[in-house]
Amino acid sequence: MSSNVVDLEAFVALPDHARLLGLDLGTKTIGLALSDLERQIATPLETIKRVKFSLDAVALLKVADKYAVAGLVIGLPLNMDGTEGPRVQSTRAFVRNLVPLTSLPIVFWDERMSTLAVTRTLLDADASRAKRAAVVDKMAAAYILQGALDRLMRMEPDEPSLG
């Protein structure tokens, strides 16, 4: 695809104290989540209502700029058996169109079960249908981003000893 679509390993080399932005790309909305500066905790941020790609990209990149984001983690909606269906093709097309507009590194993260897990959590919390609809996308983005952050933390090189 492009040089800024990378494997998660490339994120280990990102500057310290730089946030990551997680995305849950839906057909009608884009859920966004933001990491803390230490890249340990993902927090639901906002939901962008999709209009058309150019406007969606401007809104997304404006958020990335506002929070000085160092990289994007985009949920890849694989089928349960790991195959790629129409939603994966749509996500890859979105990223293909986004790449020329940003130099930010972009990583795909397997998002299977993210919306289901978040919906179950909201049901357990007895959230109303309207409340679930309002927050599920950004919470799914946080779930996706947290998975990548957890994996990234296990990949981090150990701190050098001062001995």
Side-chain angles (χ1 to χ4, degrees):
M1 217 180 253
S2 165
S3 59
N4 58 333
V5 176
V6 298
D7 288 329
L8 191 63
E9 289 79 19
F11 278 32
V12 172
L14 289 175
D16 288 341
H17 305 295
R19 299 176 190 271
L20 298 179
L21 189 65
L23 284 76
D24 179 43
L25 287 177
T27 53
K28 296 179 181 151
T29 60
I30 301 172
L32 301 179
L34 192 64
S35 76
D36 63 332
L37 291 170
E38 285 74 37
R39 295 195 290 267
Q40 294 181 354
I41 300 168
T43 304
L45 184 61
E46 66 181 78
T47 302
I48 296 172
K49 190 133 187 80
R50 298 206 51 184
V51 185
K52 64 178 189 177
F53 174 79
S54 58
L55 297 174
D56 299 346
V58 166
L60 168 64
L61 295 175
K62 192 178 288 186
V63 170
D65 190 48
K66 176 181 178 181
Y67 292 99
V69 166
L72 304 176
V73 177
I74 300 183
L76 194 63
L78 296 168
N79 293 324
M80 290 309 292
D81 64 1
T83 59
E84 295 190 6
R87 289 190 56 229
V88 169
Q89 293 167 6
S90 171
T91 299
R92 289 191 188 280
F94 182 93
V95 170
R96 237 185 340 270
N97 291 327
L98 186 63
V99 161
L101 306 178
T102 183
S103 60
L104 290 173
I106 299 169
V107 69
F108 289 112
W109 188 257
D110 182 353
E111 73 162 56
R112 281 179 283 186
M113 307 296 286
S114 61
T115 302
L116 181 64
V118 167
T119 301
R120 186 170 295 140
T121 300
L122 290 168
L123 285 170
D124 289 347
D126 210 21
S128 69
R129 183 178 299 272
K131 175 74 171 162
R132 288 195 309 268
V135 301
V136 72
D137 295 317
K138 63 185 177 183
M139 286 185 67
Y143 186 91
I144 291 162
L145 180 56
Q146 190 65 56
L149 293 174
D150 290 349
R151 177 74 183 98
L152 198 54
M153 280 190 280
R154 291 193 301 273
M155 295 167 62
E156 291 284 344
D158 293 329
E159 294 291 319
S161 63
L162 300 173

